Amino acid sequence: MTRRAHLRQLARHLRRYLAWQKGQGTTSYVPADSEARKTLKARKKALQEQKLAELRAPTDEGSKESVERRPDRAAEPVSKPEPEPELPSPPAERKPEPTGPQKPETSKKAPSDGEVTASTPLWKKHDPIHEITGRRRKKADKAAAARKPTKQKKPPSKASPDGRPTPPLESTAGPSEPAGPPPAGPVGPSQAAPQTPAEKMEFLQNYLGECQRCALCEGRTNVVFGDGDPNARLLFVGEGPGRNEDRQGLPFVGPSGQLLTKMIAAMGFERGEVYITNIVKCRPPGNRNPAPLEIKECAPFLKKQIQVIEPEVIVTLGRFASNALLAKDEALGKLRGRWHEHMGAAVMPTYHPAYLLRNEDDRRFKRRVWSDLQMVMERLGRDSEENQ
Ligand code: URA
């Protein structure tokens, strides 16, 4: 069992034990109120700042080493300016890249007291929300890049439509996001976090951990972070995990997931070739819609997932996910069938597979979904399985 799986198991046991104790009336456990959360958050922030201060004072040797450890940057001059990543990178243990060039040998420096070392878990070394940035990865498929010459990363809009039932994901400066940009300091390319999309995604998942940021944690069994290829060209975003997903810790594995898998295959993709996630990562009790605060707490994680994946196309499934991602409040019938934009990706809203299952007799919805998916396939230069 991996260390992470072991930790998850421990957390699950602890939760069950607390729930049992609560049932017995033998515990004084009460969910943290907002005051307690605030205090915790302040303490967490102070700790992070202390860690960041340590990380921001690397030795020259350390800075150089972090460049040498990045095979894709080994030939670049140390002083080449680059706006991202924002934080210096500590000397980190790197996983071998299966297809990448050989990494140069680097000598290990003995850590001084209190210093972050290679054996420190990655998620303890970094401030994730600001650090999971990095350069645009090279797409394996250059033809794909050629097909999207106009794709540009736009900063997310700050518009906040007050009073709307589904708050925009752009309003992501939620209370759980480590506050503010890192303090000014000597940052540069030598301090860039040497992470591949897969590593970034793993790091983000570890940082989310056994999340307690909102009340959904109280009813869930597993956090459902997401699944698929972190390099995917196509990202599907649903609303939130259902019962099956909550049990298995994976998105879209129940009946609507099976239909989604068929839709993906009909588009000419393997399920593992795309990435699938949800607006919220924990199951809302009774499959209710996630509440605005729950979306707000989860939004930074979806935002970072999109930054890591850099999908060309995002398909939002259902009215709720489509409105939440696009910061709108419209009927799905008005949103679907045409392109929208979010964080540099083309967005196609379509009906949720669960909606199709509920309206199986009405073939209009299936036809509409298929028409939406064909627009996606065309954009991605894919033939459907029927045409292969
Ligand atoms: N419905 C969703 O929106 N997401 C899932 O993961 C499963 C069902």
Side-chain angles (χ1 to χ4, degrees):
M1 187 187 283
T2 63
R3 193 161 162 238
R4 209 172 75 226
H6 181 60
L7 285 173
R8 280 209 183 120
Q9 193 185 50
L10 279 177
R12 260 197 306 274
H13 288 167
L14 184 60
R15 267 202 313 279
R16 276 195 208 123
Y17 173 68
L18 285 171
W20 174 80
Q21 263 201 334
K22 204 175 163 190
Q24 303 285 310
T26 55
T27 178
S28 58
Y29 165 80
V30 281
D33 61 18
S34 65
E35 263 316 300
R37 278 175 194 228
K38 264 187 216 150
T39 319
L40 266 175
K41 236 168 263 164
R43 213 179 300 151
K44 207 163 111 190
K45 198 177 145 197
L47 269 173
Q48 274 170 346
E49 272 164 10
Q50 190 189 339
K51 270 275 186 262
L52 286 172
E54 287 166 19
L55 295 175
R56 246 177 231 110
T59 62
D60 286 351
E61 232 176 285
S63 307
K64 202 168 162 196
E65 182 179 320
S66 66
V67 167
E68 286 170 356
R69 278 165 180 262
R70 288 188 58 171
D72 59 324
R73 311 194 58 180
E76 291 178 19
V78 174
S79 59
K80 188 176 170 189
E82 182 179 300
E84 285 193 329
E86 302 162 42
L87 295 182
S89 163
E93 212 169 57
R94 305 279 297 130
K95 287 187 211 153
E97 285 279 351
T99 52
Q102 290 293 310
K103 269 182 270 166
E105 286 286 321
T106 51
S107 59
K108 279 191 182 138
K109 199 161 69 87
S112 59
D113 272 354
E115 190 178 333
V116 177
T117 70
S119 61
T120 310
L122 199 54
W123 59 95
K124 286 194 181 165
K125 291 175 188 170
H126 304 288
D127 167 343
I129 299 298
H130 293 291
E131 196 161 344
I132 300 184
T133 50
R135 305 173 338 148
R136 291 183 71 84
R137 69 181 182 278
K138 283 178 194 158
K139 294 267 184 198
D141 183 355
K142 289 206 173 142
R147 271 197 293 275
K148 48 163 189 168
T150 55
K151 182 178 172 184
Q152 283 177 352
K153 291 277 166 192
K154 284 190 195 155
S157 99
K158 294 273 181 240
S160 165
D162 283 341
R164 287 184 177 174
T166 51
L169 288 171
E170 281 83 351
S171 61
T172 54
S176 299
E177 183 167 354
V187 292
S190 60
Q191 295 154 335
Q195 293 171 323
T196 63
E199 287 169 335
K200 287 178 186 178
M201 202 61 102
E202 189 186 350
F203 168 72
L204 192 58
Q205 184 168 8
N206 286 330
Y207 186 76
L208 179 61
E210 291 295 319
C211 181
Q212 307 276 326
R213 291 167 182 81
C214 81
L216 290 184
C217 69
E218 283 161 26
R220 65 133 199 266
T221 311
N222 285 299
V223 175
V224 181
F225 178 72
D227 188 34
D229 181 0
N231 277 303
R233 299 172 64 201
L234 177 55
L235 168 66
F236 287 89
V237 180
E239 178 176 327
R243 185 196 301 272
N244 295 291
E245 290 74 20
D246 177 60
R247 280 196 190 136
Q248 295 186 40
L250 288 168
F252 283 96
V253 288
S256 59
Q258 282 157 22
L259 180 54
L260 178 62
T261 306
K262 281 186 194 159
M263 284 157 53
I264 292 168
M267 294 172 78
F269 285 97
E270 304 269 335
R271 187 174 151 126
E273 249 182 293
V274 304
Y275 198 88
I276 305 174
T277 190
N278 283 299
I279 297 287
V280 295
K281 315 299 188 205
C282 295
R283 183 189 182 212
N287 289 349
R288 65 161 168 77
N289 282 348
L293 241 172
E294 293 155 2
I295 300 170
K296 192 175 173 189
E297 289 291 355
C298 242
F301 291 93
L302 177 58
K303 188 176 166 189
K304 285 292 160 190
Q305 283 177 308
I306 296 172
Q307 278 179 9
V308 169
I309 298 168
E310 292 189 294
E312 287 165 57
V313 175
I314 301 174
V315 174
T316 48
L317 299 166
R319 176 179 177 163
F320 183 91
S322 305
N323 278 308
L325 191 92
L326 295 172
K328 291 183 188 286
D329 186 18
E330 285 181 25
L332 188 68
K334 288 211 169 135
L335 293 172
R336 62 152 291 275
R338 60 193 174 92
W339 290 107
H340 304 259
E341 194 272 345
H342 182 71
M343 291 177 69
V347 179
M348 176 58 71
T350 197
Y351 291 103
H352 196 288
Y355 187 78
L356 293 185
L357 290 175
R358 281 199 301 274
N359 294 281
E360 244 174 338
D361 297 337
D362 193 339
R363 298 195 55 79
R364 278 178 308 168
F365 297 115
K366 264 191 194 154
R367 271 200 297 273
R368 286 177 199 161
V369 169
W370 185 234
S371 149
D372 297 338
L373 296 183
Q374 276 180 317
M375 286 175 73
V376 172
M377 286 150 56
E378 199 177 315
R379 189 157 192 130
L380 294 174
R382 278 280 165 152
D383 282 339
S384 71
E385 70 179 5
E386 291 161 16
N387 300 335
Q388 282 171 3

